[in-house]
Amino acid sequence: MTDLSTQPVRGRAGYAGFRSVIKAVATGPRGSRDLTFDEAREAGAALLAGDVTPAQAGAFLIGLRVKGEAADELAGLAQALRDRATALRAPDGGGPLVVSAGAFDGIAEAPPLSLAAGACATAAGARVVVACGSRIGPKHGVTAADVLGALGGPARPGPEESAALLARAGMTVVHAGESLPGWEGLAEVRNEVGLRGPVHSAEKLVDWFGARRFVVGHTHGGYAPRLLGALERLGADHAVALRGVEGSDVLRPGRPVAATLAGPVELPERLGLILRGDPDPELAGGLTRAVLAGDEHGAARRAVVLSSAVRLLAAGVATDPAEGVRRSEAALADGRAAAVLDALVG
């Protein structure tokens, strides 16, 4: 691949190579423009390959964040990530495959329950791939992989381990640092800059195991149409964007907010119900087991049931949220969800 950082510059307007991409997104309100899908894909490929300097990478990521990512830009960056990702093959049979991903910097002020929601949805008829990475800034929160490790599973599953988990349990965890070459380098840029950039929205859109159905978490309401638009551009069969706890893929139990391209998802509210607790991996693992065993009946259980329901909706297993809730509650009540977790951790 051409080193875009070393292309010659000719004249005041003659920014070539990666400099031209930075100029396009970071010139200011009057001079900046949206990148095309192909431009964003090429820029993402250069970032992942290490073909630009750290200064250029930081300038591009911050410039695009300040401008605001368009759906096609997110889609192009996501396609670059998909191009680079390790190819994983799902075993034949089983329910529809759903990739679920939230903030890759984890959760810092509440228990992370992505594994619990995934196990519940798997028990109710879907197959769930939970995508995450290492603890990164600015939050340095607890990730799904941390919880998996605390429960006795691999804390940093490689591609073969991720495939084995899916075959054994019907759900799995994919660690971007292991299965997406170049991701760790961009995570380090993020740590140095101290802000989440557009690649760290696009990383939620990787089609692990060839999945065409997605649940993506976000923090700010304006991101839902962009994420959903990017997934539509990438050919997703169905997608749900949810405004999760700290941007995770776990719904807020009191006032859940989720949407598809068709509009808002109507979910039952219990105003005043708030998910609180220590995010420590060991404690989160214990809470995960308690919820799936039917021993917890408060905010954590409600968050898991609702989050499982939207995964079933994305999978096409449930035709509406109410059916998803019923299926999820049944999977908790009869022990199927706990059995999925047992199979996951071995």
Side-chain angles (χ1 to χ4, degrees):
M1 181 179 293
T2 302
D3 186 345
L4 298 179
S5 69
T6 59
Q7 297 303 295
V9 177
R10 299 181 180 88
R12 183 176 179 183
Y15 288 100
F18 203 79
R19 297 181 185 90
S20 67
V21 180
I22 297 172
K23 182 176 185 292
V25 301
T27 306
R30 294 185 179 181
S32 297
R33 65 169 178 85
D34 293 341
L35 300 177
T36 67
F37 174 90
D38 289 333
E39 287 174 327
R41 182 181 186 178
E42 184 178 353
L47 290 167
L48 289 164
D51 287 342
V52 302
T53 68
Q56 289 178 314
F60 172 76
L61 294 172
I62 294 302
L64 188 50
R65 172 174 173 144
V66 171
K67 179 185 74 66
E69 312 96 295
D72 261 16
E73 290 173 317
L74 280 178
L77 290 170
Q79 187 59 60
L81 293 165
R82 292 179 175 197
D83 295 340
R84 188 82 171 175
T86 302
L88 298 171
R89 185 178 182 276
D92 296 332
L97 196 65
V98 178
V99 168
S100 179
F104 273 42
D105 57 359
I107 296 181
E109 297 180 359
L113 294 172
S114 294
L115 285 187
C120 188
T122 298
R127 288 185 295 173
V128 178
V129 179
V130 180
C132 67
S134 307
R135 296 194 193 191
I136 54 177
K139 195 189 303 176
H140 296 285
V142 176
T143 72
D146 294 328
V147 179
L148 180 62
L151 286 166
R156 190 181 168 101
E160 292 184 1
E161 289 176 302
S162 294
L165 293 175
L166 184 60
R168 185 172 75 224
M171 72 170 291
T172 191
V173 173
V174 173
H175 192 291
E178 293 292 325
S179 294
L180 213 168
W183 182 86
E184 293 278 16
L186 290 181
E188 183 56 36
V189 172
R190 173 175 174 167
N191 279 332
E192 291 180 0
V193 170
L195 291 172
R196 179 185 56 78
V199 170
H200 303 290
S201 292
E203 66 195 2
K204 307 172 189 179
L205 313 181
V206 177
D207 55 343
W208 299 109
F209 291 95
R212 297 175 60 87
R213 297 169 180 272
F214 298 83
V215 171
V216 291
H218 61 92
T219 301
H220 305 293
Y223 267 90
R226 302 180 201 179
L227 292 166
L228 293 170
L231 285 168
E232 183 181 40
R233 174 71 168 80
L234 292 165
D237 289 340
H238 195 45
V240 179
L242 61 87
R243 195 168 183 181
V245 177
E246 297 184 39
S248 73
D249 54 353
V250 175
L251 283 160
R252 301 171 184 177
R255 193 174 182 182
V257 176
T260 69
L261 279 170
V265 176
E266 297 298 328
L267 293 161
E269 294 184 346
R270 291 185 182 176
L271 299 181
L273 192 64
I274 300 173
L275 182 63
R276 292 192 177 96
D278 197 314
D280 175 83
E282 295 287 343
L283 296 176
L287 183 59
T288 294
R289 285 198 180 277
V291 170
L292 297 181
D295 296 332
E296 204 285 332
H297 300 279
R301 178 189 176 98
R302 189 63 179 170
V304 167
V305 167
L306 292 173
S307 301
S308 171
V310 298
R311 285 154 177 75
L312 297 177
L313 194 66
V317 172
T319 57
D320 57 53
E323 182 186 358
V325 168
R326 288 194 299 271
R327 286 178 174 269
S328 300
E329 291 280 10
L332 292 177
D334 63 17
R336 284 176 291 147
V340 169
L341 184 66
D342 289 341
L344 183 71
V345 300

